[in-house]
Amino acid sequence: MSGVIGIYSNNAVSPSLFYGLNSLQHRGQESAGMAVFNGEEILRKRAMGLVIDGFDEETLAELPGNIGIGHVRYSKAGGAHDYNIQPVMGFIGGETIAIAHDGNLVNYQLLRARLEEEGMMFQTTNDTEVILYLITRYYESDIVEAIRRTMDVIEGAYSVTALMKGQVVAFRDPSGFRPLVLGRDGDDVIVASENAPIEIIGGEMTRNVEAGEILVIDETGIHSYPYEGENRARNCIFEYVYFARNDANLDDINAYTFRRRCGEILWKEAPCDVDLVVPVPDSGIPSAIGYAQASGIPFGEGLVKNRYMGRTFIKPTQKEREMAVKLKLNPLVDVVRGKSIVLLDDSIVRGTTSRNLIHRLREAGAKEVHMRITSPPVKYSCYYGIDTPNRKNLIAANQTIREIEENIGADSLAFISLEGLASAGKKEISRYCTACFDGDYPVDPTVI
């Protein structure tokens, strides 16, 4: 999971990239990078850590130019190295090209092995470099044709922004797994993983980039090249459950509204007789509001969040996740003492957060702690960009709901149904990728 942005502007673009990437920080905290075209060449700056730590006024001043792309990255365990920071760069038709990518190719290892056999030397261990090499291989003065030929070869999830001389290029995989949206600020054009960067910069989102669509943005405007194959869009439903910001409007669904509806539906499916509805901040808040409104049970802030902590799910190691949970959330004793509470969270993946929170809420004096989850049990690995590579790490793949309930120490535990989750988005289940819940993989992951 990562965040991408591309901007074609009439003004200096690096400050807008900076603010845009900051608004995408929830999508990746390991590293950040920008590439800018200054009229003659592409300049690039990259840094480990948060955007605000890696880019100051002096650094941004070293990136003059009106066209640019940016990236924030979260890595899998063992992948947090400076050589993997994006954008990655190469040469195409005698010119430089920079690429930033959100997603995961399921046939990355196969393609990389073939390219290495042909003598290609890789500088990174990420699949973005494979996309870069294939585009440069197929390029014969037509970037759209080169991307289409590349898309015929690569399999999996990819929302990409690319920077060439005088152009920002963007494209999305035919399944539309990861989000990508288009917006404008006057004459400026912005493409990004979510709408927040567009709005924060001062623009307005105009539409989603369609599954399989290619965009070329240059001095003559926005040029769209729709996917020529069969429509097989399957948007990742976990984006709405967890990853996207509450204010994200992705593929005609608002994340906040989706999460609030999940809370309302979960009350109907799994009511609970308690004194207080308590959310796990932040993504659990809309669901808890919906649960409280539907049930008439008071809503209470029983956990205080450390706003300077990032997301615990996307920490690369288990030890880091456990420490981060303790630092991130602390029970509010005066609210929960002597109360029976129902705790609303978006998901249980490994069980680390839930177990720790329930234990600490009991220590704070909670009489009962019931748990309601606004997604079905995560039973299957994701091969499209979410860091669940092995089923042994997924508690629901190895334990029943009752066993999980005992494991995390809850008085009761219930998950929303898959049908209830889909109805929160008011689309048919077939319009979503739900592989992490039911093992129905839209793109065969066995090609790896």
Side-chain angles (χ1 to χ4, degrees), residues 90-97 135-137 139-141 164-165:
F91 293 93
I92 183 169
E95 302 288 346
T96 310
I97 181 173
I135 291 174
T136 58
R137 163 179 283 190
Y139 182 76
E140 296 177 356
S141 76
M164 298 175 63
K165 182 179 181 180

Side-chain angles (χ1 to χ4, degrees), residues 1-6 17 20-21 24-25 27-28 31-35 45-47 49 51 55 69-74 84-88 99-103 126 128 159-161 193:
M1 188 66 65
S2 303
V4 298
I5 186 171
L17 288 173
L21 288 177
L24 291 174
Q25 192 74 84
R27 300 187 68 86
S31 63
M34 301 180 195
K45 294 287 183 181
R46 303 181 297 172
V51 179
F55 293 86
I69 63 173
H71 186 268
V72 289
R73 180 174 190 264
Y74 106 84
N84 280 327
I85 306 175
Q86 298 183 41
V88 296
I99 287 184
H101 164 223
D102 172 25
N126 67 53
T128 309
S159 288
V160 177
T161 56
S193 293

Side-chain angles (χ1 to χ4, degrees), residues 192-209:
S193 293
E194 298 181 21
N195 49 287
I198 298 170
E199 294 162 0
I200 286 170
I201 290 168
E204 181 179 351
M205 175 181 162
T206 55
R207 66 177 180 89
N208 294 277
V209 178

